[in-house]
Structures are given as structure tokens and as C-alpha cells.
Amino acid sequence: MAAYLLNLFALWAGKKRVFYFLSLLFVVISGCASQPVLEHTPTVKKSDPYEKINRKVFVFNDYLDEYLAEPISNAYQYIAPQFVKNSIFNFYTNLRNFNVIFNDVLQAKFNQSAKDSGRLAVNTSLGLLGIFDVAKDLGFEQNDEDFDQTLAVWGVPEGPYLVLPIVGPLTLRGVPGAVFDTATNPTSYVGAPIQLLSILNARANAEGALKFIDEAALDPYLFTRESFLQWRRNLSSDGEGSQSLDLEELDEELDKSALSSTSTLPKLRNSFKASSLVFDKTIYHFEQAVEDYRQAESKLNRFKK
Amino acid sequence: MFLTKIKYLVLCVLCLVVFAVSAQEPLTARQVVEGFQSQLLAAMKKGKQIGYSGRYEALYAPVSDSHDLTKIVRIVVGKEWEGLSKEQQEILVATFSKYSVASYAHNFKEYSGESFVFDSEEETARGGVVVHSHLVIPNDKAVKFDYNLKEIAGHWKVINIIANGVSDLAVKRSEYTNILQHEGFDALIAKINEKITIYSKQ
């Protein structure tokens, strides 16, 4: 199953060209990079309470990738002609569409599910079991849906960030999501050779993203975590504003920290508020006293009369 | 006759004044982004011929002019900024600026028919502007680029780029603050310089 998940991640990341500056979007594949991962004493972050153990698993995955997955993948990249690699990639992407359509329906995206069904039908028939992506030329874009996103749409919180051995980065919500996706993908029910090829295809397609992490990340663990979480949140919300407030929040935090470190204004403001409350109470009591005095005076006048 | 000439002269002077005033008007947020994107594409188009150093030179001014690198660094290091000395802050901004240009020069090294398309523009609650655009890549899926800009001293400057929902600023912030807290300032500068060297060699 783990291997299968690896394949899924890579299919999500299915880009032929990942040299672009922000191909960090596709860093989710196996959560490993051949850079030393630092043994920090982590500051506990809300979304990553298990950072200490996660970092250790990340290092393990890194070694596994460096000494096992990467050499095999390099051999595959070297031996297989490009059109064969493209065909294999298309074949597995097409199979994944069963799962995509299922999740379209579960998320009530009926229009999209119709398009994805059309994509599957065209590529399975005209595209010769999916080895040619004919649907793309007809304007059917490949959509990314999975059960983790469905759970997000249903309001299930993502839970803590996890790095699992071999599998790589996930959130707690992603665990049942991955089980469901595995069960709904035809590759799970065929023989070992097809599954092994699926892993090989996954790792080969992850190459660009892993290289990008190697080049860009100062701390590969944090780089992967942040990119993964943001990327998943963006997918779950279909790109609707998951990051729109990001900068505002960061900026606000900066302003707050600058304010607290450079001035005592907030304290003054609070003490002013407290003082004004006391002042309000004093005025109230004074007014009460005046009222009492007036009443007493009128009583006295009446008494005099 | 003389009056007609005077009229034309006045008209010409007015045209020149209008032109001069409009030429001095600061660029809008959208113009800043589109200007930067076109310069980036121009560098990509001649990327192979001029090599890394050529692209670095070609992109240094466009990146420095369109991005507020000091503000970006301040946000990226968060509360740690206040703990740095004036000299350290200057070193960090200078190193980060080099790194930003180097990463553009390294990652946008060639041209294969890509183009940027403007989608929309929206104002944020705190007076900023987000310019939504996407990069069209032939035979591949488009990449969504959202540029967050702030008006600083009358000029719009990019302070964050969000690509397909992943904020460059947030990723860097997580890394930089952690390194500053656990390894210190010198280690952070050494790591950034190491990346610049890697970019320059590939």
C-alpha cells in the first residue's frame, strides 16, 4: 500500500517539466531529499506536534531514496525511451481517474465528474487503455481529486502533520484518505509487476521535484512540510483563498511584534482603558450623589414648607 | 495667421506637459507585475546564449525594482529581525537579494513558448493588491501565480508570490526563523550563500 501511495503522490505531481521556480508545488512525492536534515530541537508547531519523530522518519526516507529508489529510477530513466515513459505515465494517470470521478461525486461536483468520466472513456478507448492522452487535446483537463480532499470538503479537520516510513508526508486526515484511494484504484488489484512499474513511474516523475528541493531548501524537512500543507489546503479548497490572507496575517504579526518590541503603546492603551472605566464609575457615583442631594434638598424644602 | 501659430504652439506645449506628467505617474500594481514578467520572459528568451551570469545581470534590476526585498526579509525572519544588529540586517538583506536574483536566473534559464496571462486584480483588507495571473506552458498545465503587492513610498512593490496556492514567503519564513533560532545568524547566511553558489554552477 505504501508503495502505491508513493505512486499516487507522483501522479499528483505529474508534470513533465518541473524546472520552474515554483515547482515546489510538487514536493509532496516522497518527502525525501539528499541533503542532511538537521537534528533541531523543534519548537512545537500546532500543525506539526510530532516534528521530532517526523524528522527522524524523514531522514530514514531520505536514505531509502538515496540508496534504493534513486538508483533504480535513474536506471529506468536511462534505459526507457521518452515515449515509453510518457505512455506509462499516461496509463497510470488514466487509471487514477476512477478514483477522481468517485471523489467528484462525493464532493457533489457533478459537472466535473461528467467531464472526468468523458476523459476516462476517451483515453481508455481512443487512447488505447490510456497510453495516449487524447482527451487533453480535446480540452479535457486532468483534475486532482482524492478522498482526503473529500473529507476536507465534508469538514473533517486535517489533523497533525505526519511523515510515515516509505509513504512520506501526510496529515492524519490523509491516512483514511489514502486507504480509500488505494481501494478505489484498479492498480491495487493487479499483479506485482504492474505495481512495481507504478512505483518506478512515480519515482521517475518525482525526480524534478526532489532535485528542486535539493537546490532550494535550506531545511528540506521544513521546506517539504510547508509546501505540502499549503499545497494540500489549496487543493482541498480548489484554490479558493487558502493563501489570500496569508500575507496579511504575517504582516499583522510583524506589526504586532514590532509594536511590542519598540514601544509600550499597547500597555498604555490598556491602562488608559482601565483608567477610563474607573473614571466612568466615579462619574456615575458622583451623579448618584448629586441626585441624592437633590432629593434630600427637595424633601427638606417640603419639610420647611 | 499669427494667432493660429500661437494656438498650435500652446497645444504642443500642453501635449508635452500632459505627456511629461503621465510619464512621471507611478506604475500601477498590475503594471509592476507585467513589467517584471516581460523582463523575465526576455531573460529566458536569450537565456541559453547569455548563460547564468548574463541572466543574473539581466534580472538584477528588474527583481530589485519590482520587489521590496527589505520588507520581504523582515517578514521572512519575523520576530528575529528585532534581535539582529543593524549590520546583520543589512548583510541579510544584501544576501537575500542576491539569492532571489540567483534563483530566478537559475530556474528560468530557457524559453519554450511560455507566456504570462493577467487574470484579475483585487484589493486586500490592509490596503495591498493581489494580482492574479498564470503562466501558460506549451503542452503542460498552466501554473497560477498570485503576486501580493504593497504600496511603499508611492510605488507598488511585490512582497510575496503564491504559486498554485503555495506561498514562497511562508515557506521561507518557516525555514529562516528556525535556522536563526537554532543555529544563528552566521549559519543562515552561510546556507543562503551555499545556495547561491549551487545556482551559479548549474
Side-chain angles (χ1 to χ4, degrees):
Chain A
M1 181 188 129
Y4 180 73
L5 290 176
L6 190 71
N7 182 30
L8 276 185
F9 291 143
L11 287 175
W12 280 336
K15 284 263 176 186
K16 288 171 191 165
R17 302 179 58 191
V18 282
F19 68 87
Y20 283 102
F21 183 41
L22 287 154
S23 56
L24 55 85
L25 313 171
F26 314 117
V27 298
V28 296
I29 299 89
S30 63
C32 38
S34 58
Q35 269 192 56
V37 178
L38 301 161
E39 287 287 338
H40 290 157
T41 308
T43 316
V44 177
K45 195 178 171 180
K46 204 178 167 187
S47 58
D48 189 10
Y50 310 116
E51 183 175 340
K52 209 170 178 180
I53 185 81
N54 280 345
R55 276 189 183 268
K56 290 187 193 305
V57 179
F58 190 90
V59 173
F60 169 77
N61 283 350
D62 186 23
Y63 280 121
L64 202 65
D65 182 72
E66 192 179 348
Y67 294 108
L68 184 68
E70 192 180 1
I72 297 171
S73 170
N74 286 347
Y76 167 73
Q77 294 271 34
Y78 182 74
I79 295 165
Q82 191 57 47
F83 80 91
V84 172
K85 284 185 280 192
N86 288 348
S87 301
I88 289 169
F89 172 79
N90 290 339
F91 174 74
Y92 286 109
T93 307
N94 189 52
L95 280 181
R96 196 170 66 85
N97 276 321
F98 284 106
N99 181 45
V100 171
I101 294 162
F102 207 30
N103 282 293
D104 283 339
V105 174
L106 292 175
Q107 293 173 41
K109 293 176 181 171
F110 301 117
N111 188 26
Q112 186 176 304
S113 76
K115 286 179 183 168
D116 289 338
S117 301
R119 189 174 215 288
L120 178 69
V122 167
N123 276 352
T124 307
S125 54
L126 295 174
L128 304 177
L129 294 176
I131 60 172
F132 297 107
D133 191 357
V134 186
K136 190 178 166 187
D137 298 327
L138 297 173
F140 291 97
E141 282 295 323
Q142 174 66 42
N143 287 308
D144 288 317
E145 300 294 349
D146 51 67
F147 196 59
D148 179 43
Q149 290 180 58
T150 301
L151 291 174
V153 170
W154 292 353
V156 179
E158 69 181 9
Y161 176 74
L162 305 169
V163 182
L164 303 183
I166 304 170
V167 175
L170 274 179
T171 58
L172 188 61
R173 186 185 61 207
V175 176
V179 172
F180 182 91
D181 291 336
T182 307
T184 54
N185 193 311
T187 317
S188 311
Y189 305 101
V190 293
I194 298 288
Q195 288 180 351
L196 282 173
L197 188 60
S198 159
I199 299 166
L200 205 54
N201 170 57
R203 180 57 183 80
N205 286 298
E207 182 62 32
L210 295 177
K211 189 168 173 270
F212 184 82
I213 300 174
D214 260 359
E215 288 173 357
L218 301 188
D219 182 335
Y221 174 81
L222 292 178
F223 189 98
T224 307
R225 182 186 75 191
E226 293 307 313
S227 311
F228 174 82
L229 290 175
Q230 287 186 51
W231 178 70
R232 293 301 302 164
R233 285 167 194 161
N234 184 58
L235 275 182
S236 301
S237 66
D238 289 330
E240 293 297 322
S242 59
Q243 277 296 330
S244 62
L245 292 174
D246 168 53
L247 183 66
E248 306 300 318
E249 286 163 10
L250 293 176
D251 215 16
E252 201 168 339
E253 199 179 311
L254 181 72
D255 289 347
K256 275 182 192 166
S257 72
L259 205 60
S260 61
S261 61
T262 55
S263 80
T264 53
L265 195 60
K267 284 178 188 170
L268 281 173
R269 196 184 294 137
N270 287 338
S271 60
F272 178 72
K273 274 184 188 169
S275 310
S276 68
L277 278 175
V278 172
F279 183 66
D280 286 347
K281 277 183 184 173
T282 311
I283 292 288
Y284 173 74
H285 288 305
F286 179 69
E287 283 172 351
Q288 284 286 318
V290 169
E291 188 61 28
D292 290 345
Y293 175 74
R294 277 181 189 156
Q295 283 178 3
E297 195 180 32
S298 69
K299 278 178 188 174
L300 188 65
N301 286 340
R302 264 184 272 147
F303 179 69
K304 279 179 183 173
K305 284 174 186 175
Chain B
M1 186 69 182
F2 178 72
L3 276 175
T4 317
K5 278 184 181 175
I6 290 287
K7 273 182 194 171
Y8 278 123
L9 191 65
V10 169
L11 195 65
C12 286
V13 169
L14 275 175
C15 283
L16 280 173
V17 169
V18 169
F19 178 75
V21 169
S22 64
Q24 282 172 356
E25 269 181 17
L27 299 173
T28 63
R30 181 183 169 178
Q31 285 171 329
V32 169
V33 170
E34 290 185 332
F36 171 68
Q37 288 175 335
S38 65
Q39 284 164 315
L40 185 59
L41 287 173
M44 286 166 73
K45 282 174 186 169
K46 53 186 178 182
K48 275 188 179 174
Q49 293 93 340
I50 60 179
Y52 169 82
S53 57
R55 292 194 301 274
Y56 185 93
E57 290 298 321
L59 289 168
Y60 195 89
V63 173
S64 311
D65 293 346
S66 58
H67 294 59
D68 187 341
L69 293 162
T70 306
K71 176 126 180 138
I72 292 172
V73 171
R74 282 200 65 184
I75 297 175
V76 159
V77 299
K79 290 171 187 167
E80 305 301 319
W81 178 263
E82 300 298 333
L84 300 176
S85 70
K86 187 90 180 161
E87 194 191 354
Q88 285 177 322
Q89 289 176 350
E90 283 169 6
I91 293 171
L92 184 56
V93 171
T95 313
F96 184 82
S97 302
K98 282 183 199 164
Y99 171 74
S100 299
V101 181
S103 60
Y104 273 113
H106 171 74
N107 289 293
F108 291 85
K109 56 178 70 143
E110 58 185 358
Y111 182 73
S112 315
E114 293 86 352
S115 59
F116 283 100
V117 177
F118 169 82
D119 294 320
S120 62
E121 194 176 34
E122 65 171 306
E123 283 185 23
T124 65
R126 290 171 61 89
V129 165
V130 179
V131 175
H132 300 283
S133 66
H134 64 273
L135 177 67
V136 179
I137 308 166
N139 301 317
D140 215 330
K141 219 172 179 177
V143 180
K144 199 167 172 269
F145 280 88
D146 298 324
Y147 294 85
N148 221 316
L149 292 98
K150 284 265 178 186
E151 194 172 21
I152 293 145
H155 297 280
W156 287 101
K157 300 274 185 179
V158 174
I159 51 173
N160 192 19
I161 302 170
I162 301 165
N164 279 0
V166 180
S167 160
D168 184 45
L169 202 69
V171 173
K172 284 197 172 74
R173 185 179 163 95
S174 180
E175 288 186 297
Y176 286 36
T177 52
N178 198 278
I179 293 168
L180 274 175
Q181 283 164 5
H182 296 103
E183 297 172 69
F185 176 78
D186 292 339
L188 177 64
I189 296 296
K191 280 171 190 280
I192 300 173
N193 278 326
E194 190 187 327
K195 293 296 166 191
I196 297 171
T197 310
I198 291 171
Y199 284 152
S200 67
K201 285 179 180 170
Q202 291 175 346

